[in-house]
Amino acid sequence: MKMPAFFIAHGSPLLALEDNEYTRFLERLGADLPRPRAIVVFSAHWESPQQLLTVDERYETQHDFYGFPEDMYRLTYPAPGDPELSLRIRELFTSHNLPHQPVLGRGLDHGVWVILKKMFPQADIPVIALSVDSLRSPKEQYEIGRMLSPLREEGVLFIGSGGLVHNLRLLINSDQPEDWALKFDAWIAEALESRNLQELFNYDQKAPHAREAVPSYGKEHFVPLFYVLGTAAKGTKAQRMFQAYQYGTLSLNCWKFE
């Protein structure tokens, strides 16, 4: 069964405790999808110049944040891994001459488990986490995703977890979005829906307010879009399934690629 691929904003870690329109959307999304063989997540919270991937049989839950309510630190997501699929991914990377490194015992960071806890709360589907490198070019990031695109035909669900507008220094105390954030998201939507890869690869020069939306210190939240878009390289359809904002500039969006 060929699975779709998604870019999903993970917002604040508090998403794991919240009950709102976005969390209910994620719950419905997980319930409506065919059950994947496994889930592979490119996480904004795992950045490395070398491509890394998990090879665990079972994961610990990382609480890689501070200053949150105690309830956050009691949450767990004890998902299984899939060492056999990890090996398959390594073989695909090797066949494309991509240096990579398996990692054992890192656990799942909140960029992975917070959204999966909403989508697949039973934590019974195997998960593999992949690192991102925000210093690579968007085309390189896309090509790494494209190396893995055959796995979608094998029942693997790919998720890029991050945020298209994610500038923590410009947050405001309002859920009404700033005009510049709306304009940036609208530009990205048009480029995705028309599958204009060249425009997307040059978003930092082309998109309005790109510097505010994707600050130089926070590109790791944007780049999972390119990795997961690469896994859908043979597809032709991009669908925005959800769009909202928190704190004025933190976009909560879900894009589906088929």
Side-chain angles (χ1 to χ4, degrees), residues 59-61 63 71-79 113 117 121 123:
Y59 294 103
E60 297 293 325
T61 303
H63 298 96
D71 286 351
M72 284 295 303
Y73 301 94
R74 288 191 283 267
L75 294 177
T76 62
Y77 193 78
W113 68 262
K117 194 168 183 65

Side-chain angles (χ1 to χ4, degrees), residues 16-28:
L17 291 177
E18 291 173 341
D19 177 19
N20 55 38
E21 187 181 4
Y22 186 49
T23 62
R24 291 190 291 273
F25 161 77
L26 292 176
E27 290 165 359
R28 292 193 304 271

Side-chain angles (χ1 to χ4, degrees), residues 108-121:
L108 298 179
D109 63 63
H110 80 268
V112 179
W113 68 262
V114 164
I115 56 175
L116 294 186
K117 194 168 183 65
K118 292 297 182 182
M119 294 177 68
F120 306 103

Side-chain angles (χ1 to χ4, degrees), residues 21 42 82 97 105 109 128 134 167 189 208 253 256:
E21 187 181 4
F42 291 97
D82 188 337
N97 299 313
D109 63 63
I128 294 173
S134 63
N167 189 334
N253 32 35
K256 178 182 180 181

Side-chain angles (χ1 to χ4, degrees), residues 121-139:
Q122 299 303 315
D124 58 352
I125 300 173
V127 176
I128 294 173
L130 295 174
S131 66
V132 299
D133 180 5
S134 63
L135 296 182
R136 292 182 187 266
S137 70
K139 189 174 189 305

Side-chain angles (χ1 to χ4, degrees), residues 10-87:
H10 61 249
S12 161
L14 285 172
L15 193 74
L17 291 177
E18 291 173 341
D19 177 19
N20 55 38
E21 187 181 4
Y22 186 49
T23 62
R24 291 190 291 273
F25 161 77
L26 292 176
E27 290 165 359
R28 292 193 304 271
L29 178 63
D32 291 343
L33 283 170
R35 182 180 172 87
R37 165 196 167 189
I39 305 166
V40 175
V41 184
F42 291 97
S43 174
H45 289 278
W46 193 10
E47 189 165 21
S48 170
Q50 185 179 33
Q51 183 61 60
L52 306 177
L53 73 158
T54 57
V55 294
D56 303 69
E57 292 189 4
R58 179 71 61 172
Y59 294 103
E60 297 293 325
T61 303
Q62 280 196 46
H63 298 96
D64 50 337
F65 40 76
Y66 60 91
F68 286 85
E70 281 301 313
D71 286 351
M72 284 295 303
Y73 301 94
R74 288 191 283 267
L75 294 177
T76 62
Y77 193 78
D82 188 337
E84 183 178 331
L85 180 58
S86 295
L87 179 59

